[in-house]
Amino acid sequence: MKIGSVVSASVLRGIDAKLELENPEDLKVGYPVIVEGKKYDFYCIIKDIYNPQIEIVERIAGSGIHDTVPLSGHNPNTVFSKASLKAIQLIDKDGRLFEPETIPPYLSSVRSAKKEDVNKIYTITEKSMNVGTLRGVPEFEISIDYEKLTEKPFAIFGRTGMGKSILCKIVCNSILAKTAASVFIFDMHSEYGIFSKSDNTPGLKFFFPEKVEMFTLDPSNREAKPFIIDSKNIRPEDIIVAFQDLSSPMVDALYIINRERKNNLISEIKNATMEKYPTAHPSALQALQRRIMRLDRFGFVMEGNDTFNQLITLIKNGESIVLDFGKYGRDATAYLFLANIIARRLYREYSENDYPRLVLFLEEAHKFLAPEIAGYTIFDRLARETRKFNLILALIDQRPSRIDEEVRSQLANRLILSMKEPTDVESALAGVPDKSVWKDIVATIPARTLLLLGDAIRVPTVIDIMDYAQMKKCLNRFNKDDIDEISKSSGKIFG
């Protein structure tokens, strides 16, 4: 369907089209359109829709007669709307694709993109899987190449309530379905196991019982194996990251104790005296001892017991891990503490051994990767180095502006949902070509809509994320009767 004609064009600034629609509300930001040039079809995305300033409208406005004067659709030469377009690809008459290095002539026809147009742009590989539909072309499914997605660090960014958790579940299930990698999930809110605690949707263990193993910090969870950390494996950096309120003298005292200790670090801190550690600041030592008592409430920290080697055995066999936090799910200290310990030990294992590819999903990434704390964590090194040895970092966050710039620069793919804070939008798109185009789109797209940029897809694409209920159909594993039966017998299966 024709929607307008080109009235101005620039390779750098984009294309402006005069709309011939009766109602501009039929178009939305992010919709794909085709500009029909003489040599090429210009595959474009709508970056803005606007009503230009028109003298007759200004005269009528507020005059009391504006309701009786027909404007939209009846006076196209006098009153009209416009759309700003960004060319993404050129398609020649033989269907070959080119980067946009030229412009269409004046008055070139602009029409809505159709499925046959989009088919020329996107390719499907053996490792591709549907994540949703092309915004504006609901009959066309968009797939991500999960082999390419999991080759390098990537991120899911979006403000609270925009669908990060659902998108992450879709991504994890798809990675497993395409055997692109294994995954490790810190499941703070019990969403990824058998069934989500919040909405009862099926999780990774439900769809892939043979590929996923569940562990838990909470003894009341009978569906998962208990997870224990041996206190002798705790390092000063784990404590600094977990508490994030240690003063410089307290950090100094921590390293003094660690350097001279004879037992595990936690016991040494609790029993430290000025006689044993005379170079430590007295008040800093006392404050450190008060803070270390917070770890006493963590029932998963024990001396002499450790579950980490069980994880490594499973990971070596290509299995995925869901670590359920249970009653500790709202305890930020528990999450920061445990995630840093596990990531540090995984880094060591992967740097010394040839293990299958593992994607480590890190929620609340800014709490680990803020510039002032990143140096104490292993995650900045994970972002820079681990593509070399198959341990891939996936960030999930609502405040990318608080993530260290060097870490963000390592992201090969970005799955960006709606964000409003200008600094977060700017940071999420840092290093992306034509950033100004995508900034406005990220700020205007609704919930459950995604801007995907990176080498896992042919061109930057705005996607309406599929309903998670479609996951069962995409995986092609269970029908409704199967799901009901497995739900009833899940205790027997996983017990």
Side-chain angles (χ1 to χ4, degrees), residues 182-196:
S182 300
V183 301
F184 193 117
I185 299 284
F186 297 106
D187 193 2
M188 293 180 67
H189 306 299
S190 302
E191 294 182 278
Y192 296 92
I194 303 175
F195 289 97
S196 169

Side-chain angles (χ1 to χ4, degrees), residues 197-234:
K197 188 176 180 180
S198 61
D199 59 12
N200 207 39
T201 53
L204 276 62
K205 180 71 172 176
F206 177 87
F207 288 121
F208 300 98
E210 74 287 358
K211 290 186 177 182
V212 178
E213 190 61 73
M214 287 178 60
F215 289 84
T216 185
L217 308 181
D218 189 345
S220 67
N221 183 351
R222 303 297 182 185
E223 296 175 332
K225 298 178 179 179
F227 185 84
I228 303 296
I229 285 289
D230 190 340
S231 54
K232 73 179 181 182
N233 290 311
I234 297 172

Side-chain angles (χ1 to χ4, degrees), residues 203-472:
L204 276 62
K205 180 71 172 176
F206 177 87
F207 288 121
F208 300 98
E210 74 287 358
K211 290 186 177 182
V212 178
E213 190 61 73
M214 287 178 60
F215 289 84
T216 185
L217 308 181
D218 189 345
S220 67
N221 183 351
R222 303 297 182 185
E223 296 175 332
K225 298 178 179 179
F227 185 84
I228 303 296
I229 285 289
D230 190 340
S231 54
K232 73 179 181 182
N233 290 311
I234 297 172
R235 301 286 180 266
E237 294 78 14
D238 304 323
I239 296 170
I240 294 169
V241 172
F243 295 152
Q244 298 200 1
D245 62 352
L246 303 186
S247 65
S248 294
M250 291 164 65
V251 171
D252 292 341
L254 179 59
Y255 279 107
I256 289 170
I257 294 171
N258 184 65
R259 187 171 58 247
E260 302 176 18
R261 66 186 172 95
K262 300 293 190 296
N263 299 309
N264 75 65
L265 180 58
I266 304 304
S267 297
E268 284 286 347
I269 293 172
K270 290 180 177 179
N271 297 314
T273 63
M274 289 307 301
E275 288 74 19
K276 291 176 67 175
Y277 303 104
T279 56
H281 192 281
S283 61
L285 181 58
Q286 293 173 3
L288 179 61
Q289 288 175 318
R290 288 194 299 271
R291 280 167 174 76
I292 211 69
M293 299 301 288
R294 300 174 188 174
L295 299 183
D296 289 347
R297 68 179 186 269
F298 295 162
F300 54 85
V301 178
M302 297 182 186
E303 187 169 359
N305 290 319
D306 199 87
T307 315
F308 185 78
N309 287 337
Q310 293 182 39
L311 300 184
I312 291 299
T313 300
L314 293 165
I315 289 168
K316 283 195 292 187
N317 291 329
E319 294 193 46
S320 295
I321 308 295
V322 174
L323 179 54
D324 174 63
F325 275 63
K327 66 181 181 180
Y328 298 102
R330 295 186 179 276
D331 193 325
T333 300
Y335 173 54
L336 294 168
F337 177 68
L338 194 60
N340 200 67
I341 292 173
I342 291 175
R344 173 171 51 78
R345 296 176 72 180
L346 283 173
Y347 177 87
R348 184 185 64 204
E349 289 285 336
Y350 268 81
S351 60
E352 297 174 355
N353 300 281
D354 184 17
Y355 290 157
R357 185 181 299 172
L358 180 70
V359 181
L360 181 65
F361 284 85
L362 186 68
E363 293 195 62
E364 300 288 338
H366 70 272
K367 293 182 178 178
F368 298 92
L369 294 168
E372 65 273 12
I373 204 73
Y376 293 108
T377 77
I378 200 67
F379 294 105
D380 61 336
R381 206 177 308 171
L382 276 170
R384 293 195 307 270
E385 301 176 11
T386 53
R387 70 182 73 176
K388 303 173 187 174
F389 41 80
N390 264 350
L391 182 60
I392 306 301
L393 184 62
L395 309 182
I396 308 170
D397 205 82
Q398 69 272 25
R399 298 305 310 271
S401 60
R402 298 183 183 178
I403 295 174
D404 186 72
E405 183 178 354
E406 185 177 353
V407 174
R408 283 189 274 111
S409 70
Q410 302 298 319
L411 300 172
N413 288 276
R414 304 168 200 224
L415 295 82
I416 307 175
L417 296 105
S418 174
M419 287 190 291
K420 299 296 185 183
E421 177 60 42
T423 56
D424 288 324
V425 176
E426 184 82 23
S427 298
L429 293 166
V432 173
D434 300 317
K435 180 170 62 175
S436 60
V437 174
W438 308 115
K439 281 168 60 176
D440 294 337
I441 288 176
V442 167
T444 54
I445 54 177
R448 303 291 180 90
T449 301
L450 159 72
L451 171 62
L452 176 55
L453 308 114
D455 56 12
I457 197 165
R458 179 66 182 266
V459 294
T461 305
V462 182
I463 304 166
D464 290 325
I465 300 169
M466 69 179 178
D467 192 307
Y468 186 67
Q470 291 181 254
M471 201 75 239
K472 297 185 283 288

Side-chain angles (χ1 to χ4, degrees), residues 37-289:
K38 292 183 178 179
K39 293 179 62 177
Y40 303 102
D41 282 344
F42 290 70
Y43 180 77
C44 302
I45 193 168
I46 297 177
K47 62 179 183 177
D48 193 15
I49 306 164
Y50 62 99
N51 291 327
Q53 184 175 341
I54 297 174
E55 183 179 357
I56 189 172
V57 176
E58 292 192 354
R59 290 182 179 181
I60 292 173
S63 66
I65 64 170
H66 62 276
D67 289 334
T68 63
V69 178
L71 294 177
S72 181
H74 296 282
N75 296 286
N77 295 322
T78 305
V79 179
F80 51 86
S81 299
K82 282 185 165 185
S84 294
L85 315 176
K86 173 63 181 177
I88 305 297
Q89 289 276 273
L90 305 186
I91 310 170
D92 73 6
K93 302 310 177 183
D94 296 321
R96 294 175 297 182
L97 301 178
F98 301 90
E99 293 299 310
E101 299 178 304
T102 186
I103 58 173
Y106 280 118
L107 303 181
S108 294
S109 179
V110 181
R111 61 173 173 81
S112 300
K114 297 178 289 188
K115 188 173 181 179
E116 48 266 37
D117 300 313
V118 184
N119 272 327
K120 299 173 184 176
I121 301 294
Y122 298 94
T123 56
I124 303 296
T125 69
E126 289 185 2
K127 298 295 184 179
S128 294
M129 192 161 174
N130 173 30
V131 69
T133 58
L134 182 62
R135 181 164 169 80
V137 189
E139 65 272 19
F140 188 85
E141 295 181 344
I142 293 291
S143 295
I144 295 176
D145 185 326
Y146 284 95
E147 182 76 39
K148 290 185 177 179
L149 181 71
T150 59
E151 285 178 346
K152 301 171 186 176
F154 64 93
I156 296 174
F157 292 138
R159 58 193 171 96
T160 302
M162 292 297 102
K164 291 193 299 296
S165 294
I166 288 295
L167 178 58
C168 186
K169 287 175 75 171
I170 291 172
V171 168
C172 288
N173 277 309
S174 300
I175 289 172
L176 297 185
K178 291 299 177 179
T179 60
S182 300
V183 301
F184 193 117
I185 299 284
F186 297 106
D187 193 2
M188 293 180 67
H189 306 299
S190 302
E191 294 182 278
Y192 296 92
I194 303 175
F195 289 97
S196 169
K197 188 176 180 180
S198 61
D199 59 12
N200 207 39
T201 53
L204 276 62
K205 180 71 172 176
F206 177 87
F207 288 121
F208 300 98
E210 74 287 358
K211 290 186 177 182
V212 178
E213 190 61 73
M214 287 178 60
F215 289 84
T216 185
L217 308 181
D218 189 345
S220 67
N221 183 351
R222 303 297 182 185
E223 296 175 332
K225 298 178 179 179
F227 185 84
I228 303 296
I229 285 289
D230 190 340
S231 54
K232 73 179 181 182
N233 290 311
I234 297 172
R235 301 286 180 266
E237 294 78 14
D238 304 323
I239 296 170
I240 294 169
V241 172
F243 295 152
Q244 298 200 1
D245 62 352
L246 303 186
S247 65
S248 294
M250 291 164 65
V251 171
D252 292 341
L254 179 59
Y255 279 107
I256 289 170
I257 294 171
N258 184 65
R259 187 171 58 247
E260 302 176 18
R261 66 186 172 95
K262 300 293 190 296
N263 299 309
N264 75 65
L265 180 58
I266 304 304
S267 297
E268 284 286 347
I269 293 172
K270 290 180 177 179
N271 297 314
T273 63
M274 289 307 301
E275 288 74 19
K276 291 176 67 175
Y277 303 104
T279 56
H281 192 281
S283 61
L285 181 58
Q286 293 173 3
L288 179 61
Q289 288 175 318

